[in-house]
Amino acid sequence: MAKPQVVVAPVLMSKLSVNAPEFYPSSYSSNYTESYEDGCEDYPTLSEYVQDFLNHLTEQPGSFETEIEQFAETLNGWVTTDDALQELVELIYQQATSIPNFSYMGARLCNYLSHHLTISPQSGNFRQLLLQRCRTEYEVKDQAAKGDEVTRKRFHAFVLFLGELYLNLEIKGTNGQVTRADILQVGLRELLNALFSNPMDDNLICAVKLLKLTGSVLEDAWKEKGKTDMEEIIQRIENVVLDANCSRDVKQMLLKLVELRSSNWGRVHAASTYREATPENDPNYFMNEPTFYTSDGVPFTAADPDYQEKYQELLEREDFFPDYEENGTDLSGGGDPYLDDIDDEMDPEIEEAYEKFCLESERKRKQ
């Protein structure tokens, strides 16, 4: 069987966004959908099938959830050799590092395939080959960080893709526990060193993007291990702001990043530990307490110092005069001419409004 030719996603120098419809031929989406529904029969090579799917995800990232399962099943029937697996890894890596805004989707795709591709040759499974491919770029980080503009741009794309991989690539242990790849954590730390060691504007901007993306997760992981790596990074940023010849805008970005980190990366802490409300610790403790009235018509609540005495008097009065309400009103109807003249029936408008109120209350209670 002839080895399929690798077709790498080209870096297109166009004023159009790759997410714009104009980036693709007008018949792209319909052609892809028709071919995809028929499986991979209409594609002469693996690379064309995979590249078409990657372009489809770039244009319609929302289709990931509905189409990734069938894509993986098709790959399991096609990727049956070491060479085919290597080719698949390269195609995804190139798309994730050469197409703007595909690094996150590429990392999600890599995570899914690492758990659902069945092939596991001696050269390594999908995840192992992917990490080996990333290591190739990682080993030239120092040269890339000080290279020409094109080299640095390619290096920055790799750095941000590795950050997405660190957040999205799940490693499942033998006991079913899911963790992140520690090797990527170490790699990101060294990549930050390379960027700050060459404090050109675009390198520093890349470092800011990476820390905004992964800073909170990295710091939590380092703290769990008792490491102070984030403190060292922040100190290095402050030194760059003071000493480096970077632009004013970049220095402002770095200071904003330090501010973000000082606010715990913008994360909001839960409210303080719940304490049961008491009159001593809650000034509004008695706010919703009912109001009672003494026999003289003087109001009192549970907040009054002599509440217990007054309330006991109220209870005793009710025992002796069961026809009295708590506020002292006589309910016996003992000859009050005003009360006697009141009709027991409601006004029709009031009755209708009351019925609507009851129905609305019942509806809300059932929701």
Side-chain angles (χ1 to χ4, degrees):
M1 175 180 178
K3 178 180 177 181
Q5 197 71 23
V6 175
V7 179
V8 175
V11 181
L12 298 177
M13 302 302 293
S14 170
K15 294 181 180 179
L16 292 175
S17 165
V18 293
N19 291 318
E22 294 85 355
F23 183 80
Y24 299 96
S26 59
S27 60
Y28 167 75
S29 294
S30 59
N31 287 347
Y32 171 80
T33 303
E34 292 171 3
S35 299
Y36 188 69
E37 289 175 350
D38 295 334
C40 55
E41 291 83 357
D42 293 339
Y43 292 92
T45 64
L46 170 66
S47 62
E48 290 185 5
Y49 172 69
V50 173
Q51 191 62 60
D52 215 16
F53 182 76
L54 296 178
N55 291 340
H56 174 65
L57 284 184
T58 303
E59 183 189 6
Q60 300 180 31
S63 64
F64 180 89
E65 298 292 346
T66 56
E67 298 179 7
I68 185 60
E69 184 177 353
Q70 184 176 351
F71 177 67
E73 289 178 0
T74 302
L75 290 181
N76 278 326
W78 200 331
V79 181
T80 56
T81 65
D82 293 13
D83 289 343
L85 187 58
Q86 288 276 9
E87 180 183 12
L88 174 64
V89 169
E90 183 65 23
L91 286 166
I92 296 174
Y93 176 86
Q94 290 295 335
Q95 186 87 357
T97 57
S98 63
I99 302 298
N101 302 322
F102 193 76
S103 57
Y104 166 69
M105 185 58 65
R108 288 187 65 195
L109 178 60
C110 288
N111 180 60
Y112 189 92
L113 294 180
S114 71
H115 295 293
H116 293 85
L117 283 185
T118 55
I119 182 174
S120 184
Q122 291 184 350
S123 59
N125 58 30
F126 176 86
R127 184 177 69 243
Q128 292 167 334
L129 293 181
L130 173 66
L131 294 178
Q132 289 175 21
R133 179 62 181 88
C134 291
R135 185 175 183 83
T136 302
E137 295 293 328
Y138 172 80
E139 289 176 345
V140 296
K141 59 186 181 298
D142 295 318
Q143 301 94 303
K146 62 182 68 169
D148 59 28
E149 185 177 353
V150 174
T151 302
R152 294 199 309 273
K153 185 175 181 180
R154 185 169 60 246
F155 174 59
H156 299 156
F158 161 69
V159 169
L160 296 177
F161 177 53
L162 208 69
E164 292 288 6
L165 275 180
Y166 176 62
L167 297 179
N168 290 280
L169 192 61
E170 299 174 338
I171 310 297
K172 293 183 180 179
T174 54
N175 58 353
Q177 184 181 5
V178 176
T179 60
R180 290 189 171 90
D182 284 343
I183 188 65
L184 295 181
Q185 180 190 123
V186 175
L188 291 176
R189 179 69 172 93
E190 294 304 315
L191 289 173
L192 285 167
N193 284 341
L195 292 167
F196 286 124
S197 296
N198 300 276
M200 290 171 274
D201 279 6
D202 54 355
N203 280 343
L204 296 175
I205 291 172
C206 179
V208 170
K209 289 180 178 179
L210 179 63
L211 286 170
K212 281 186 175 180
L213 177 68
T214 64
S216 60
V217 179
L218 285 173
E219 183 165 14
D220 289 346
W222 286 329
K223 282 183 176 179
E224 285 182 7
K225 299 176 180 179
K227 295 183 177 181
T228 59
D229 290 53
M230 189 57 69
E231 297 291 345
E232 297 169 9
I233 290 173
I234 296 300
Q235 183 61 56
R236 194 156 189 182
I237 291 175
E238 292 172 350
N239 293 339
V240 167
V241 172
L242 292 173
D243 302 330
N245 295 321
C246 56
S247 69
R248 180 180 176 181
D249 289 342
V250 171
K251 287 185 177 182
Q252 189 68 22
M253 288 178 64
L254 292 168
L255 291 174
K256 288 287 186 182
L257 180 69
V258 174
E259 183 180 342
L260 177 65
R261 189 259 177 170
S262 66
S263 67
N264 194 29
W265 303 101
R267 294 179 291 188
V268 179
H269 280 298
S272 57
T273 305
Y274 170 77
R275 294 184 303 166
E276 184 176 356
T278 66
E280 289 74 26
N281 66 25
D282 186 357
N284 298 318
Y285 182 78
F286 294 111
M287 182 175 289
N288 296 319
E289 289 291 330
T291 300
F292 303 99
Y293 294 86
T294 66
S295 57
D296 298 327
V298 178
F300 69 95
T301 68
D304 293 324
D306 51 353
Y307 165 76
Q308 290 293 343
E309 180 181 347
K310 291 180 179 179
Y311 189 68
Q312 185 61 38
E313 179 187 341
L314 176 65
L315 293 178
E316 292 174 355
R317 190 168 76 249
E318 286 186 339
D319 288 340
F320 284 110
F321 304 100
D323 292 332
Y324 273 70
E325 270 191 329
E326 291 176 347
N327 61 5
T329 303
D330 185 358
L331 299 181
S332 63
D336 190 317
Y338 177 76
L339 294 176
D340 288 344
D341 289 338
I342 294 179
D343 194 344
D344 291 336
E345 294 184 3
M346 287 192 249
D347 181 85
E349 293 183 3
I350 297 177
E351 185 174 8
E352 181 181 358
Y354 178 73
E355 289 177 355
K356 288 182 178 179
F357 170 79
C358 292
L359 291 172
E360 183 67 16
S361 300
E362 181 67 12
R363 184 184 66 79
K364 290 182 178 179
R365 185 184 66 80
K366 290 181 178 179
Q367 286 181 345

